[in-house]
Amino acid sequence: MNKKTVKDLDVGGKRVLVRVDFNVPVKDGEVTDDTRIRRALPTLRDLLERGARPVLISHLGRPKGAPDPKYAMDPVAKRLRELLGAPVRKLDGATGPEVEAALDDAPEGGVTLLENSRFYPGETKNDPELAEGLAALAELYVNDAFGAAHRAHATTVGVAEKLPAAAGLLMQEELDYLDSVLRTPERPFVAILGGAKVSDKLGVIESLLGVADTLLIGGAMCFTFFKAQGYGVGDSLVEDDYLEEAKRLLGEAGGKLVLPVDVVVAEAMEEGAEARVVPVGEIPDGMMGLDVGPETVEAFRSHITDASTVFWNGPMGVFEIEAFAKGTEGVARAVAESRATSVVGGGDSVAAVSKLGLEDEMSFISTGGGASLEYVEGKELPGVAVLPDRIDRGE
Ligand code: ADP
Ligand code: MG
């Protein structure tokens, strides 16, 4: 990554506005998965060690541009306090004279967490006035919120244009891992794609076919490909609008694109539904494919075992339901056991990996679902593009 990083900034004694991705699940006032908070700690600790006074801002959930107690940052502040080992002060706003006054007597050695950026309607509109208000809070800006980098919002783009800016350590790590996979993968490079929709991931399929040696396809998206090949797919999820695209990709991919050979079918996508395994092409009418079958897992495993680089996005089946979780579990274990450099992205895929307790077996787990996919697709992430390049180091 050729962007300035927090290490390039002289932060001692300065107020640094840090855009973090603290968009975590909250239930009954408690953070139920603190992964994203923990992943921001290296940048925060680096800033504190160098005598900076970090001011943190994040969005949380989808409040509608107005304060909503359901989405207040207090549970996040509480968890951050436990994790950081330094004082965490939480304010009830994110801009304005009261916030500015409170920051004037920010205590040394601690951080200040601002209120949810999406309580302000200007956030998602990248409103220049809000960006100005945020810029008034600090002397420097650091973006460590990779998961929000694909959005051009006031906290990710607007304010970055108004202050000396740099990438945080997590942002840097995310981009470096994705770059190493996409630009200089050690081969064989095996990509694994699954999940619900083909339409969401067409660009990703296309781009991965360009760099990967093998692309394994599971999840609901395989049924659009099967239908495009002329197989019966019963009631499986199919995107008929994308059959032509699927045909084209199959033609262009040659042997690179590997589809399942067997699938787990049931009459309904529900707990307790009776499931059985059938070969592809024999999905009975009235049944839907909800997972890849055991032969497919073995076939996928042998590709994964031979790989030196693996990129995985999207579960192989409806892993939320026990009866349809084996495909995802099999693939997760194969990736965990392989010696390949493995990068996992996508909210549900990451949830599946952590449900199995296999996080530590992966080389890198991306905190950004949508952002990592857009990056793989080759799209420019506005929150990254706006950060200055590193060439002019020392200016
Ligand atoms: P990620 O968040 O990892 O990018 P997606 O959001 O694209 O993944 O897809 C995850 C969803 O796909 C899961 O909720 C899972 O239940 C669903 N899914 C996987 N396989 C199937 C299938 N065969 N039929 C219907 N839904 C599926
Ligand atoms: Mg998802």
Side-chain angles (χ1 to χ4, degrees), residues 164-177:
L169 301 176
L170 174 60
M171 177 74 92
Q172 179 184 22
E173 203 184 10
E174 294 266 7
L175 294 169
D176 283 347
Y177 261 103

Side-chain angles (χ1 to χ4, degrees), residues 111-180:
V111 306
T112 303
L113 176 63
L114 302 176
E115 191 46 280
N116 193 338
S117 61
R118 290 206 190 164
F119 284 4
Y120 296 81
E123 162 70 329
T124 54
K125 296 186 190 115
N126 191 14
D127 173 48
E129 231 172 279
L130 177 58
E132 202 62 63
L134 292 166
L137 305 178
E139 297 153 87
L140 300 168
Y141 169 82
V142 168
N143 190 349
D144 212 20
F146 175 73
H150 57 317
R151 309 274 184 230
H153 290 172
T155 58
T156 58
V157 170
V159 67
E161 289 167 337
K162 298 188 190 296
L163 287 174
L169 301 176
L170 174 60
M171 177 74 92
Q172 179 184 22
E173 203 184 10
E174 294 266 7
L175 294 169
D176 283 347
Y177 261 103
L178 287 173
D179 281 342
S180 73

